[in-house]
């Protein structure tokens, strides 16, 4: 398959290249399944991923089903910790601290959004950075912004990884990110900068969105606004990564209006089936790293060889 911009046939005549996350995720999962089996052989237990769910909403339910299925596929025990929406901030932090202290739990994710009465910062701060496999703790966010190796927010990483693994050059390109959340837009922009893209970040207060999006050679969209980006806001030949997952009626749709975009773009991630599957596979690769680090640290402590 040719990379966008290569070859003699224009994208408008053959339709866009679909950047599917499924096959890439399947490759990562296959190697993770072997790695987790080796982990279990060496350390005598299978590490758990704890998913803390406070209350429930529709997108969370979709996401949770996917992540639990991915856990099954690689031999990790996904532990759903369901907490009532009326929990206090203290109550929730106590639950997270219990998971921090549980040696079988290698990674913790807290499903967002949280009920309005719970201060997000308090909850994020209570997660042990060594178990923060979705990179939301200030320590991991700080490491990312300085270019050091912490845990990366998996969705942001997936948005960049799908480009890299599809052979799309980022270095030197005009890359536009729509959305500046701490979990997707901002970390994606930092990762794209790390890949030497010339990055512009747009957000809800940006004036004339289309003026900026039309400048993009690569466009990453993470807004949670179904169909926000339409074909007339894109320049021909752009590569689009649609991170949005929105439940509209019975359907899952992205933030890009696929119908009007498909005749303009060179390549685009489908929704569903683009960034989503890759996100979960990467998250579990972080879990493996966390589990190994914790097991080795535990063993060093037991032998008195920590520095
Ligand atoms: P968020 O609500 O925290 O942030 C949305 C961002 O979009 C904000 O920075 C806001 O400024 C910007 N925005 C909102 N309306 C806009 C507008 N009209 N014009 C320009 N910018 C606008 O959302 P989030 O957590 O970053 O998630 C974004 C999307 O990604 C959602 O659809 C979410 O479901 C999806 N998501 C997907 C995955 C995955 O695995 N693919 C994982 C997490 C989130």
């Amino acid at each position: 398959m040719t990379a966008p911009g290569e070859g003699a046939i224009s994208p408008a005549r053959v339709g866009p290249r679909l950047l599917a996350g499924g096959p890439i995720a399947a490759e990562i999962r296959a190697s993770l399944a072997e790695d987790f089996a080796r982990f279990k052989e060496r350390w005598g237990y299978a590490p758990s991923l704890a998913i803390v769910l406070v209350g429930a909403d529709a997108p969370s339910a979709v996401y949770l089903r996917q992540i639990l299925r991915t856990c099954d596929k690689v031999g990790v025990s996904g532990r759903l910790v369901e907490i009532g929406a009326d929990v206090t901030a203290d109550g929730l932090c106590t639950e997270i601290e219990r998971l921090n202290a549980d040696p079988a739990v290698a990674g913790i994710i807290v499903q967002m959004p949280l009920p309005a009465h719970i201060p997000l910062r308090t909850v994020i701060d209570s997660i042990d950075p060594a178990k923060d496999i979705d990179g939301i703790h200030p320590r991991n966010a700080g490491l990312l912004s300085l270019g050091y190796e912490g845990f990366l927010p998996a969705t942001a990483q997936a948005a960049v990884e799908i480009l890299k693994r599809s052979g799309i050059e980022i270095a030197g390109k005009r890359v536009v990110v729509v959305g500046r959340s701490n979990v997707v837009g901002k970390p994606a922009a930092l990762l794209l900068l790390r890949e030497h893209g010339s990055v512009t970040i747009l957000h809800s207060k940006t004036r004339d969105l289309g003026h900026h999006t039309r400048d993009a050679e690569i466009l990453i969209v993470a807004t949670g606004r179904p169909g926000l980006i339409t074909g007339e806001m894109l320049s021909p030949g752009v590569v689009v990564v649609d991170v949005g997952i929105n439940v509209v009626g019975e359907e899952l749709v992205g933030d890009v209006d696929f119908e009007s975009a498909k005749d303009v773009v060179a390549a685009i991630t489908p929704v569903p089936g683009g960034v989503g599957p890759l996100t979960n596979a990467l998250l579990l690769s972080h879990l493996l790293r966390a589990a190994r680090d914790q097991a080795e640290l535990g063993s060093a402590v037991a032998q008195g060889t920590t520095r």
Side-chain angles (χ1 to χ4, degrees), residues 26 49 65 110 113 152 171 195 210 216 250 279 299:
L49 167 63
R65 268 200 305 278
V110 179
L152 299 176
E195 297 298 327
E250 298 284 292
T279 299
S299 154

Side-chain angles (χ1 to χ4, degrees), residues 136-171:
I136 62 172
H137 189 280
R139 178 177 164 81
N140 286 313
L143 290 171
L144 167 61
S145 77
L146 296 175
Y148 298 134
E149 281 310 307
F151 287 117
L152 299 176
T155 306
Q157 185 188 12
V160 179
E161 204 59 33
I162 204 161
L163 292 171
K164 289 170 70 181
R165 291 188 186 235
S166 304
I168 290 159
E169 179 81 24
I170 299 169

Side-chain angles (χ1 to χ4, degrees), residues 59 63 155 178-185 202-206 209 221-225 228 242-246 255 275-276 279-280:
Y63 181 70
T155 306
V178 194
R180 59 172 164 184
S181 73
N182 287 340
V183 283
V184 193
L202 315 181
H203 48 77
S204 55
K205 297 284 189 286
T206 299
L209 211 58
V221 189
T223 65
R225 304 285 180 272
L228 175 70
D242 187 354
V243 182
I245 298 183
N246 308 290
D255 293 350
V275 175
T279 299
N280 293 340

Side-chain angles (χ1 to χ4, degrees), residues 4 168-176 196-199 217-218 239:
I168 290 159
E169 179 81 24
I170 299 169
K173 294 272 177 68
R174 291 188 304 278
V175 183
V176 175
H196 311 293
S198 299
V199 182
E217 294 172 280
I218 296 174
V239 174

Side-chain angles (χ1 to χ4, degrees), residues 26-265:
E27 245 175 63
I28 298 174
R29 281 196 307 266
S31 99
L32 278 176
E34 288 173 18
D35 289 338
F36 277 114
R38 268 195 291 275
F39 179 96
K40 193 172 175 190
E41 225 171 81
R42 166 146 192 222
W43 298 102
Y45 69 97
S48 292
L49 167 63
I51 306 163
V52 179
L53 178 64
V54 185
D57 70 341
S60 293
V62 174
Y63 181 70
L64 286 174
R65 268 200 305 278
Q66 287 167 350
I67 181 84
L68 289 171
R69 219 180 301 140
T70 312
C71 284
D72 275 350
K73 285 182 185 161
V74 301
V76 160
S77 86
R79 194 192 293 181
L80 186 56
V81 182
E82 287 183 273
I83 299 176
D86 57 351
V87 70
T88 61
D90 279 355
L92 181 54
C93 290
T94 303
E95 187 59 45
I96 291 171
E97 277 149 20
R98 204 178 55 75
L99 297 168
N100 286 341
D102 183 341
V105 172
I108 302 168
I109 54 178
V110 179
Q111 189 56 41
M112 304 296 168
L114 291 172
H117 69 277
I118 297 185
L120 182 61
R121 176 77 201 272
T122 314
V123 176
I124 289 176
D125 283 354
S126 72
I127 302 173
D128 179 350
K131 296 191 176 188
D132 169 39
I133 60 163
D134 206 14
I136 62 172
H137 189 280
R139 178 177 164 81
N140 286 313
L143 290 171
L144 167 61
S145 77
L146 296 175
Y148 298 134
E149 281 310 307
F151 287 117
L152 299 176
T155 306
Q157 185 188 12
V160 179
E161 204 59 33
I162 204 161
L163 292 171
K164 289 170 70 181
R165 291 188 186 235
S166 304
I168 290 159
E169 179 81 24
I170 299 169
K173 294 272 177 68
R174 291 188 304 278
V175 183
V176 175
V177 179
V178 194
R180 59 172 164 184
S181 73
N182 287 340
V183 283
V184 193
K186 218 184 283 174
L190 287 166
L191 287 169
L192 290 156
L193 197 56
R194 199 188 269 191
E195 297 298 327
H196 311 293
S198 299
V199 182
T200 304
I201 305 175
L202 315 181
H203 48 77
S204 55
K205 297 284 189 286
T206 299
R207 278 177 283 131
D208 194 355
L209 211 58
H211 168 77
H212 299 281
T213 54
R214 275 188 289 272
D215 190 44
E217 294 172 280
I218 296 174
L219 183 70
I220 315 285
V221 189
T223 65
R225 304 285 180 272
L228 175 70
I229 303 296
T230 56
E232 63 92 28
M233 298 166 80
L234 304 169
S235 285
V238 63
V239 174
V240 176
V241 176
D242 187 354
V243 182
I245 298 183
N246 308 290
V247 181
V248 176
E250 298 284 292
E251 270 188 273
L252 278 191
V253 299
D255 293 350
V256 178
D257 174 42
F258 190 86
E259 271 314 298
S260 61
K262 72 179 187 336
D263 294 332
V264 185
V265 303

